Amino acid sequence: MLSNLPLGLLSAAALLFPITSAQCNGQVEYCTRSWSNITTVGSHDSPFVGDSLSDNQDISITAQLDLGIRFLQGQTHMSILGNELELCHTSCLLEDAGSLTDYLTTIKTWLDANPNEVLTLLLTNGDYVGIGNFSASFEASGLDTLCYVPPTSPDVLPINEWPTLQELIDNGTRVVTFLDYDADMSTVPYILDEFSYYFETPYDVTDSTFDDCSINRPSGASADGRMYIVNHFLDKDVLGADIPDRDAANTTNAVSGTGSIGAQTALCESLYGRPPNGILLDWVDLGEPIKAQDVINGVSS
């Protein structure tokens, strides 16, 4: 036993085998922080990977998670046959990235291999289908077993009552899931209604300065009592269509400077008195999203 070693040998052992504290989402400090008191950069349209005009990411879901992304957003639509939810960009005729079940299975596999990680998941319900279509995919993938259910459910959990990351990890509830429309927290309590909890800034932005932090959705909402998501992904107009601007991603996803993650965060914080809870980005492998996240949260990279 190390306790039986002479003091000199103990000192040498400490140098050779330093004791490290457990980390939560890559940071020791996050373990004792409330989930609602951490700013997380996220992957906007995370399933749409490639180099077509409708793609938003360069790297796979697994690679995004390996990079340090802990907030994934994805669009869902019913399949062309109408029998299953798919990850489709605007329409399944435009781009179909596979079934929601397969997407969730990929996430579940990664989380099983990384037990100290907490993930936020935001899905859109583009066809306004019933909540049972979503719960079926969660159950088929097994991800439902890792999802957090607020103790106040179906009522909204106040911002200051969220558990810490360590509590979520210890309780095996490491996935916090939101749906933008037609969530039913009385029926499926682990899929939370996004706009009961959040407001969002404008999206499909083509102004590279990102000088707007106004509340876009839900319309007419108050910031009081809601967390918020900044849509910090830049589009460009191509023949009347808004296309993700990959060429600008290194600047858009920078830590500081005009149009950067840091600059828009500072603007929003000046308006609302607190930093955003989520910041959605295209091309998460470009620029320095994780460093920007660390700076906003006041932790070392």
Side-chain angles (χ1 to χ4, degrees), residues 264-277:
Q264 190 176 18
T265 295
L267 174 63
C268 295
E269 188 169 1
S270 72
L271 289 176
Y272 302 116
R274 50 193 166 95
N277 301 83

Side-chain angles (χ1 to χ4, degrees), residues 58 65 124 194 234:
D58 285 326
L65 293 168
T124 71
E194 178 193 0
L234 185 66

